[in-house]
């Protein structure tokens, strides 16, 4: 027998955690973030389990992760690529049925010149790490016909932090400029902040694996 440590992953617990988070905001779609090979647990197995549980939208970080996940899931589920397009992959996004998330002016310009497919737009509402400015020309962005607009909470794990409300107000104003486009603000911790933060789609990641701190009313299983 090997003396090396082993990790036994309970896929049923990951599915149960997704379902618990899904019940929190029943009017919103609950996606699943499976970047970094499902946080090291195996993106293909995790995603197939979540798909059987009802998940139809997934997020990865890189194009290569997206193509591997598409092979594992087949065509049907929506797969967003958070790091967005690069010149080398422009023409293959549509072939792989992947949806890039555009987070910079450079990516918007790149995608506008490409043989375009679906895209998402990521706005910076206060995290100050990446994202489009809220003052970016709206007519230019509307021409891209995004299928999702999104942002990310900087302090979602601190429910009483004042920045959460600031970002909510900023994102609500942005979403109002795209009334026919689904919107997403809440990642793992944001899922616990209430209906106002859920919008149309939530994006739990580490929470699916029992790695966040939910309120007492939510029970997550260790995986």
């Amino acid at each position: 027998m090997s003396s090396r440590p082993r990790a036994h992953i309970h896929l049923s617990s990951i599915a149960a955690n997704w379902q618990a988070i899904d019940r929190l905001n029943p009017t919103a779609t609950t996606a699943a973030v499976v970047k970094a090979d499902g946080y090291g647990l195996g993106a293909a197995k995790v995603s197939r389990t979540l798909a059987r549980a009802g998940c139809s939208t997934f997020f990865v970080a890189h194009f290569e992760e997206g193509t591997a996940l598409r092979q594992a899931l087949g065509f049907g589920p929506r797969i967003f690529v958070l790091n967005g397009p690069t010149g080398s992959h422009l023409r293959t996004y549509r072939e792989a049925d992947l949806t890039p998330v555009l987070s910079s002016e450079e990516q918007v310009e790149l995608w506008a010149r490409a043989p375009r497919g679906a895209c998402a737009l990521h706005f910076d509402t206060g995290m100050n790490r990446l994202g489009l400015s809220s003052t970016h020309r709206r007519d230019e962005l509307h021409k891209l016909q995004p299928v999702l607009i999104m942002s990310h909470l900087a302090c979602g794990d601190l429910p009483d932090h004042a920045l959460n409300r600031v970002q909510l107000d900023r994102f609500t104003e942005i979403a109002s400029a795209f009334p026919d486009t689904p919107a997403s603000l809440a990642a793992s911790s944001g899922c616990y902040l209430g209906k106002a933060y859920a919008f149309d789609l939530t994006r739990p990641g580490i929470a699916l694996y029992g790695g966040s701190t939910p309120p007492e009313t939510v029970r997550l299983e260790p995986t």
Side-chain angles (χ1 to χ4, degrees):
M1 294 180 61
S2 172
S3 61
R4 299 178 65 182
R6 296 182 180 183
H8 294 276
I9 309 304
H10 300 281
L11 294 172
S12 59
S13 295
I14 298 175
N17 290 342
W18 181 86
Q19 291 167 335
I21 294 171
D22 186 52
R23 288 192 293 269
L24 286 176
N25 299 292
T27 62
T29 296
T30 305
V33 180
V34 292
K35 61 185 180 181
D37 195 25
Y39 290 73
L41 304 185
K45 290 182 179 180
V46 167
S47 298
R48 284 195 290 260
T49 298
L50 291 173
R52 288 192 291 270
C55 184
S56 60
T57 305
F58 297 85
F59 286 80
V60 297
H62 301 286
F63 178 85
E64 291 79 8
E65 291 178 302
T67 56
L69 189 59
R70 175 60 69 207
Q71 186 173 6
L73 292 177
F75 287 88
R78 172 84 71 178
I79 300 174
F80 289 96
V81 179
L82 290 166
N83 284 10
T86 62
S88 60
H89 296 137
L90 276 180
R91 294 184 176 275
T92 49
Y93 264 94
R94 279 202 298 186
E95 296 172 14
D97 192 24
L98 301 177
T99 305
V101 178
L102 312 183
S103 300
S104 68
E105 293 186 13
E106 292 77 14
Q107 288 182 339
V108 168
E109 293 174 3
L110 193 64
W111 198 246
R113 298 195 302 267
R116 297 193 301 270
C119 72
L121 302 176
H122 181 189
F123 290 90
D124 178 20
T125 56
M127 195 166 192
N128 297 325
R129 189 174 68 188
L130 79 167
L132 297 165
S133 167
S134 61
T135 61
H136 195 106
R137 288 178 53 192
R138 300 277 171 83
D139 57 342
E140 178 185 2
L141 298 178
H142 277 288
K143 289 179 182 178
L144 298 177
Q145 299 181 318
V147 297
L148 182 72
I149 60 168
M150 57 183 284
S151 189
H152 194 86
L153 294 168
C155 302
D157 57 339
L158 302 171
D160 297 325
H161 200 289
L163 184 56
N164 290 331
R165 185 70 207 193
V166 171
Q167 288 192 257
L168 174 61
D169 291 343
R170 290 173 179 171
F171 188 65
T172 299
E173 190 277 327
I174 293 169
S176 68
F178 296 84
D180 299 322
T181 305
S184 176
L185 177 61
S188 285
S189 296
C191 295
Y192 311 136
L193 297 181
K195 182 179 179 180
Y197 289 83
F199 286 88
D200 302 295
L201 181 142
T202 60
R203 314 185 309 270
I206 193 66
L208 298 178
Y209 315 101
S212 65
T213 306
E216 293 182 359
T217 54
V218 180
R219 184 187 176 201
L220 298 182
E221 301 287 340
T223 58

